[in-house]
Short mmCIF file of all heavy atoms in Angstrom, two decimals:
data_model
loop_
_atom_site.label_atom_id
_atom_site.label_comp_id
_atom_site.label_asym_id
_atom_site.label_seq_id
_atom_site.Cartn_x
_atom_site.Cartn_y
_atom_site.Cartn_z
N VAL A 1 -16.99 98.72 -8.45
CA VAL A 1 -16.25 97.93 -9.43
C VAL A 1 -17.25 97.17 -10.28
O VAL A 1 -18.37 96.90 -9.84
CB VAL A 1 -15.25 96.95 -8.77
CG1 VAL A 1 -14.20 97.69 -7.98
CG2 VAL A 1 -15.98 95.94 -7.89
N HIS A 2 -16.85 96.85 -11.49
CA HIS A 2 -17.75 96.19 -12.43
C HIS A 2 -16.95 95.14 -13.18
O HIS A 2 -16.48 95.39 -14.29
CB HIS A 2 -18.33 97.23 -13.39
CG HIS A 2 -19.50 96.77 -14.19
ND1 HIS A 2 -20.30 95.72 -13.81
CD2 HIS A 2 -20.03 97.24 -15.35
CE1 HIS A 2 -21.26 95.55 -14.70
NE2 HIS A 2 -21.12 96.45 -15.64
N GLY A 3 -16.74 94.00 -12.55
CA GLY A 3 -15.90 93.01 -13.21
C GLY A 3 -15.99 91.64 -12.59
O GLY A 3 -16.92 91.35 -11.83
N ASN A 4 -15.01 90.81 -12.90
CA ASN A 4 -15.03 89.41 -12.46
C ASN A 4 -14.47 89.26 -11.04
O ASN A 4 -14.16 90.23 -10.36
CB ASN A 4 -14.28 88.53 -13.47
CG ASN A 4 -12.80 88.91 -13.56
OD1 ASN A 4 -12.29 89.69 -12.76
ND2 ASN A 4 -12.12 88.33 -14.54
N GLN A 5 -14.34 88.01 -10.62
CA GLN A 5 -13.91 87.73 -9.25
C GLN A 5 -12.54 88.31 -8.94
O GLN A 5 -12.33 88.92 -7.89
CB GLN A 5 -13.88 86.21 -9.02
CG GLN A 5 -13.79 85.79 -7.57
CD GLN A 5 -15.13 85.93 -6.87
OE1 GLN A 5 -16.16 86.12 -7.51
NE2 GLN A 5 -15.12 85.85 -5.55
N ALA A 6 -11.62 88.17 -9.85
CA ALA A 6 -10.26 88.67 -9.62
C ALA A 6 -10.25 90.19 -9.48
O ALA A 6 -9.51 90.74 -8.66
CB ALA A 6 -9.33 88.24 -10.75
N ILE A 7 -11.05 90.88 -10.27
CA ILE A 7 -11.13 92.34 -10.18
C ILE A 7 -11.71 92.75 -8.83
O ILE A 7 -11.18 93.65 -8.15
CB ILE A 7 -11.97 92.91 -11.33
CG1 ILE A 7 -11.24 92.71 -12.67
CG2 ILE A 7 -12.28 94.39 -11.12
CD1 ILE A 7 -12.08 93.06 -13.89
N MET A 8 -12.79 92.09 -8.41
CA MET A 8 -13.39 92.44 -7.12
C MET A 8 -12.43 92.16 -5.97
O MET A 8 -12.30 92.97 -5.04
CB MET A 8 -14.70 91.66 -6.93
CG MET A 8 -15.82 92.12 -7.83
SD MET A 8 -17.42 91.35 -7.45
CE MET A 8 -17.15 89.67 -8.01
N GLU A 9 -11.76 91.04 -6.01
CA GLU A 9 -10.82 90.70 -4.94
C GLU A 9 -9.67 91.70 -4.88
O GLU A 9 -9.24 92.10 -3.79
CB GLU A 9 -10.29 89.28 -5.14
CG GLU A 9 -11.35 88.21 -4.88
CD GLU A 9 -10.87 86.81 -5.22
OE1 GLU A 9 -9.75 86.69 -5.77
OE2 GLU A 9 -11.62 85.85 -4.97
N ALA A 10 -9.17 92.12 -6.02
CA ALA A 10 -8.09 93.10 -6.05
C ALA A 10 -8.56 94.43 -5.48
O ALA A 10 -7.83 95.10 -4.73
CB ALA A 10 -7.59 93.29 -7.48
N ALA A 11 -9.78 94.84 -5.81
CA ALA A 11 -10.33 96.09 -5.30
C ALA A 11 -10.49 96.03 -3.78
O ALA A 11 -10.13 96.98 -3.08
CB ALA A 11 -11.68 96.38 -5.96
N VAL A 12 -11.00 94.93 -3.27
CA VAL A 12 -11.18 94.78 -1.82
C VAL A 12 -9.83 94.80 -1.11
O VAL A 12 -9.67 95.45 -0.07
CB VAL A 12 -11.94 93.48 -1.52
CG1 VAL A 12 -11.92 93.17 -0.03
CG2 VAL A 12 -13.38 93.57 -2.01
N GLU A 13 -8.86 94.13 -1.68
CA GLU A 13 -7.52 94.09 -1.07
C GLU A 13 -6.91 95.49 -0.98
O GLU A 13 -6.20 95.81 -0.02
CB GLU A 13 -6.62 93.17 -1.90
CG GLU A 13 -5.19 93.06 -1.38
CD GLU A 13 -5.08 92.31 -0.06
OE1 GLU A 13 -6.01 91.52 0.26
OE2 GLU A 13 -4.08 92.51 0.65
N ALA A 14 -7.21 96.32 -1.96
CA ALA A 14 -6.61 97.66 -2.01
C ALA A 14 -7.45 98.72 -1.30
O ALA A 14 -7.00 99.86 -1.14
CB ALA A 14 -6.43 98.08 -3.48
N ALA A 15 -8.65 98.37 -0.85
CA ALA A 15 -9.65 99.37 -0.48
C ALA A 15 -9.36 100.14 0.80
O ALA A 15 -9.73 101.31 0.92
CB ALA A 15 -11.02 98.71 -0.37
N GLY A 16 -8.71 99.53 1.78
CA GLY A 16 -8.51 100.22 3.04
C GLY A 16 -9.82 100.61 3.67
O GLY A 16 -10.66 99.75 3.96
N ASP A 17 -10.05 101.91 3.86
CA ASP A 17 -11.27 102.39 4.53
C ASP A 17 -12.43 102.62 3.58
O ASP A 17 -13.47 103.13 3.99
CB ASP A 17 -10.95 103.70 5.27
CG ASP A 17 -10.45 104.80 4.33
OD1 ASP A 17 -9.93 104.48 3.24
OD2 ASP A 17 -10.58 105.98 4.69
N VAL A 18 -12.30 102.25 2.31
CA VAL A 18 -13.35 102.46 1.31
C VAL A 18 -14.18 101.18 1.15
O VAL A 18 -13.63 100.09 0.98
CB VAL A 18 -12.74 102.85 -0.05
CG1 VAL A 18 -13.85 103.10 -1.08
CG2 VAL A 18 -11.85 104.07 0.09
N GLY A 19 -15.49 101.31 1.19
CA GLY A 19 -16.36 100.16 0.96
C GLY A 19 -16.51 99.88 -0.53
O GLY A 19 -16.87 100.78 -1.31
N ILE A 20 -16.23 98.66 -0.94
CA ILE A 20 -16.35 98.28 -2.36
C ILE A 20 -17.76 97.77 -2.63
O ILE A 20 -18.24 96.83 -1.98
CB ILE A 20 -15.31 97.21 -2.73
CG1 ILE A 20 -13.89 97.74 -2.52
CG2 ILE A 20 -15.51 96.77 -4.19
CD1 ILE A 20 -13.52 98.93 -3.37
N LEU A 21 -18.40 98.37 -3.62
CA LEU A 21 -19.70 97.92 -4.10
C LEU A 21 -19.52 97.29 -5.48
O LEU A 21 -18.93 97.91 -6.37
CB LEU A 21 -20.68 99.09 -4.21
CG LEU A 21 -21.00 99.87 -2.94
CD1 LEU A 21 -21.93 101.03 -3.27
CD2 LEU A 21 -21.62 98.97 -1.88
N ALA A 22 -20.03 96.09 -5.64
CA ALA A 22 -19.99 95.43 -6.94
C ALA A 22 -21.27 95.73 -7.71
O ALA A 22 -22.37 95.59 -7.17
CB ALA A 22 -19.84 93.92 -6.76
N VAL A 23 -21.12 96.14 -8.95
CA VAL A 23 -22.28 96.38 -9.79
C VAL A 23 -22.83 95.02 -10.23
O VAL A 23 -22.08 94.15 -10.67
CB VAL A 23 -21.90 97.21 -11.03
CG1 VAL A 23 -23.10 97.39 -11.95
CG2 VAL A 23 -21.35 98.57 -10.60
N THR A 24 -24.13 94.83 -10.10
CA THR A 24 -24.75 93.57 -10.54
C THR A 24 -25.20 93.75 -12.00
O THR A 24 -24.46 93.41 -12.92
CB THR A 24 -25.91 93.18 -9.63
OG1 THR A 24 -26.88 94.23 -9.57
CG2 THR A 24 -25.41 92.83 -8.24
N VAL A 25 -26.39 94.31 -12.21
CA VAL A 25 -26.87 94.61 -13.56
C VAL A 25 -27.38 96.04 -13.54
O VAL A 25 -28.21 96.41 -12.70
CB VAL A 25 -28.00 93.66 -13.99
CG1 VAL A 25 -28.53 94.04 -15.37
CG2 VAL A 25 -27.51 92.22 -14.00
N LEU A 26 -26.87 96.87 -14.44
CA LEU A 26 -27.27 98.28 -14.49
C LEU A 26 -28.79 98.40 -14.64
O LEU A 26 -29.42 97.63 -15.37
CB LEU A 26 -26.58 98.99 -15.65
CG LEU A 26 -25.05 99.06 -15.61
CD1 LEU A 26 -24.53 99.68 -16.90
CD2 LEU A 26 -24.58 99.86 -14.40
N THR A 27 -29.37 99.39 -13.95
CA THR A 27 -30.82 99.57 -14.03
C THR A 27 -31.26 100.10 -15.40
O THR A 27 -32.47 100.16 -15.68
CB THR A 27 -31.30 100.53 -12.93
OG1 THR A 27 -30.49 101.70 -12.93
CG2 THR A 27 -31.21 99.86 -11.57
N SER A 28 -30.32 100.47 -16.24
CA SER A 28 -30.65 100.89 -17.60
C SER A 28 -30.75 99.70 -18.56
O SER A 28 -31.05 99.88 -19.74
CB SER A 28 -29.61 101.88 -18.12
OG SER A 28 -28.32 101.28 -18.12
N LEU A 29 -30.49 98.48 -18.05
CA LEU A 29 -30.53 97.28 -18.89
C LEU A 29 -31.75 96.43 -18.55
O LEU A 29 -32.16 96.33 -17.40
CB LEU A 29 -29.26 96.44 -18.68
CG LEU A 29 -27.91 97.11 -18.94
CD1 LEU A 29 -26.79 96.12 -18.70
CD2 LEU A 29 -27.85 97.66 -20.35
N ASP A 30 -32.30 95.79 -19.59
CA ASP A 30 -33.39 94.83 -19.37
C ASP A 30 -33.04 93.52 -20.08
O ASP A 30 -31.91 93.33 -20.56
CB ASP A 30 -34.74 95.39 -19.82
CG ASP A 30 -34.77 95.78 -21.30
OD1 ASP A 30 -33.86 95.36 -22.06
OD2 ASP A 30 -35.71 96.50 -21.71
N ARG A 31 -34.01 92.62 -20.15
CA ARG A 31 -33.76 91.30 -20.74
C ARG A 31 -33.25 91.41 -22.17
O ARG A 31 -32.32 90.69 -22.59
CB ARG A 31 -35.07 90.51 -20.70
CG ARG A 31 -35.10 89.16 -21.40
CD ARG A 31 -34.20 88.14 -20.75
NE ARG A 31 -32.90 88.07 -21.42
CZ ARG A 31 -31.88 87.37 -20.97
NH1 ARG A 31 -31.98 86.69 -19.86
NH2 ARG A 31 -30.74 87.35 -21.63
N GLY A 32 -33.80 92.31 -22.95
CA GLY A 32 -33.35 92.47 -24.33
C GLY A 32 -31.90 92.93 -24.41
O GLY A 32 -31.15 92.47 -25.29
N ASP A 33 -31.50 93.79 -23.50
CA ASP A 33 -30.10 94.24 -23.49
C ASP A 33 -29.16 93.10 -23.13
O ASP A 33 -28.05 93.00 -23.69
CB ASP A 33 -29.93 95.38 -22.48
CG ASP A 33 -30.71 96.62 -22.87
OD1 ASP A 33 -30.54 97.08 -24.01
OD2 ASP A 33 -31.49 97.11 -22.05
N LEU A 34 -29.56 92.24 -22.19
CA LEU A 34 -28.72 91.09 -21.85
C LEU A 34 -28.57 90.15 -23.04
O LEU A 34 -27.49 89.60 -23.27
CB LEU A 34 -29.30 90.34 -20.65
CG LEU A 34 -29.29 91.06 -19.30
CD1 LEU A 34 -29.66 90.09 -18.18
CD2 LEU A 34 -27.96 91.72 -19.02
N ASP A 35 -29.64 89.96 -23.80
CA ASP A 35 -29.55 89.15 -25.02
C ASP A 35 -28.53 89.77 -25.98
O ASP A 35 -27.70 89.07 -26.56
CB ASP A 35 -30.91 89.08 -25.71
CG ASP A 35 -31.90 88.21 -24.96
OD1 ASP A 35 -31.46 87.36 -24.14
OD2 ASP A 35 -33.11 88.38 -25.18
N ASP A 36 -28.59 91.09 -26.11
CA ASP A 36 -27.69 91.79 -27.01
C ASP A 36 -26.24 91.64 -26.57
O ASP A 36 -25.32 91.60 -27.40
CB ASP A 36 -28.08 93.27 -27.06
CG ASP A 36 -27.37 94.03 -28.16
OD1 ASP A 36 -27.29 93.52 -29.28
OD2 ASP A 36 -26.88 95.14 -27.89
N LEU A 37 -26.03 91.55 -25.24
CA LEU A 37 -24.68 91.40 -24.70
C LEU A 37 -24.20 89.95 -24.66
O LEU A 37 -23.05 89.69 -24.31
CB LEU A 37 -24.63 91.99 -23.28
CG LEU A 37 -24.75 93.52 -23.20
CD1 LEU A 37 -25.01 93.94 -21.76
CD2 LEU A 37 -23.49 94.19 -23.73
N GLY A 38 -25.09 89.02 -25.00
CA GLY A 38 -24.69 87.62 -25.07
C GLY A 38 -24.89 86.82 -23.80
O GLY A 38 -24.38 85.70 -23.69
N PHE A 39 -25.64 87.36 -22.82
CA PHE A 39 -25.91 86.61 -21.59
C PHE A 39 -27.06 85.64 -21.81
O PHE A 39 -28.13 86.03 -22.28
CB PHE A 39 -26.23 87.56 -20.44
CG PHE A 39 -25.05 88.34 -19.92
CD1 PHE A 39 -24.82 89.64 -20.34
CD2 PHE A 39 -24.16 87.74 -19.03
CE1 PHE A 39 -23.73 90.35 -19.87
CE2 PHE A 39 -23.06 88.46 -18.57
CZ PHE A 39 -22.84 89.76 -18.98
N GLN A 40 -26.84 84.40 -21.43
CA GLN A 40 -27.86 83.37 -21.61
C GLN A 40 -28.56 83.05 -20.28
O GLN A 40 -28.75 81.89 -19.92
CB GLN A 40 -27.22 82.10 -22.19
CG GLN A 40 -26.49 82.31 -23.50
CD GLN A 40 -27.42 82.80 -24.60
OE1 GLN A 40 -28.51 82.26 -24.80
NE2 GLN A 40 -26.99 83.84 -25.30
N CYS A 41 -28.93 84.08 -19.56
CA CYS A 41 -29.62 83.88 -18.29
C CYS A 41 -30.54 85.07 -18.05
O CYS A 41 -30.48 86.08 -18.76
CB CYS A 41 -28.63 83.74 -17.14
SG CYS A 41 -27.60 85.20 -16.87
N SER A 42 -31.40 84.95 -17.05
CA SER A 42 -32.31 86.04 -16.75
C SER A 42 -31.58 87.13 -15.97
O SER A 42 -30.49 86.91 -15.43
CB SER A 42 -33.48 85.53 -15.90
OG SER A 42 -33.02 85.14 -14.62
N VAL A 43 -32.19 88.30 -15.89
CA VAL A 43 -31.63 89.39 -15.09
C VAL A 43 -31.46 88.93 -13.65
O VAL A 43 -30.42 89.16 -13.02
CB VAL A 43 -32.55 90.63 -15.15
CG1 VAL A 43 -32.09 91.68 -14.13
CG2 VAL A 43 -32.57 91.23 -16.55
N GLU A 44 -32.48 88.26 -13.12
CA GLU A 44 -32.44 87.82 -11.72
C GLU A 44 -31.30 86.84 -11.47
O GLU A 44 -30.59 86.95 -10.46
CB GLU A 44 -33.78 87.18 -11.33
CG GLU A 44 -34.96 88.12 -11.30
CD GLU A 44 -35.54 88.40 -12.68
OE1 GLU A 44 -35.12 87.76 -13.67
OE2 GLU A 44 -36.42 89.28 -12.78
N GLU A 45 -31.10 85.91 -12.37
CA GLU A 45 -30.01 84.94 -12.21
C GLU A 45 -28.65 85.62 -12.24
O GLU A 45 -27.75 85.28 -11.46
CB GLU A 45 -30.09 83.88 -13.31
CG GLU A 45 -31.25 82.91 -13.16
CD GLU A 45 -31.45 82.04 -14.38
OE1 GLU A 45 -31.11 82.49 -15.50
OE2 GLU A 45 -31.95 80.91 -14.22
#
């Protein structure tokens, strides 16, 4: 899943025997891409 808290919680509630993995930051993105997307924090944060 790739979303906010409510999306992750809904996925977990529905998952049953499936393990839910939350996407953090895609490995195709770097600091410049986060700037382009409007994030005001580092990749690590």
Side-chain angles (χ1 to χ4, degrees):
V1 298
H2 194 22
N4 63 10
Q5 195 77 12
I7 292 172
M8 290 188 289
E9 289 174 354
V12 170
E13 180 69 22
D17 60 336
V18 181
I20 299 298
L21 300 177
V23 177
T24 57
V25 177
L26 298 175
T27 49
S28 59
L29 302 181
D30 59 15
R31 173 66 264 172
D33 295 307
L34 293 191
D35 289 339
D36 191 45
L37 290 167
F39 288 98
Q40 303 299 313
C41 62
S42 68
V43 171
E44 293 80 7
E45 288 170 332

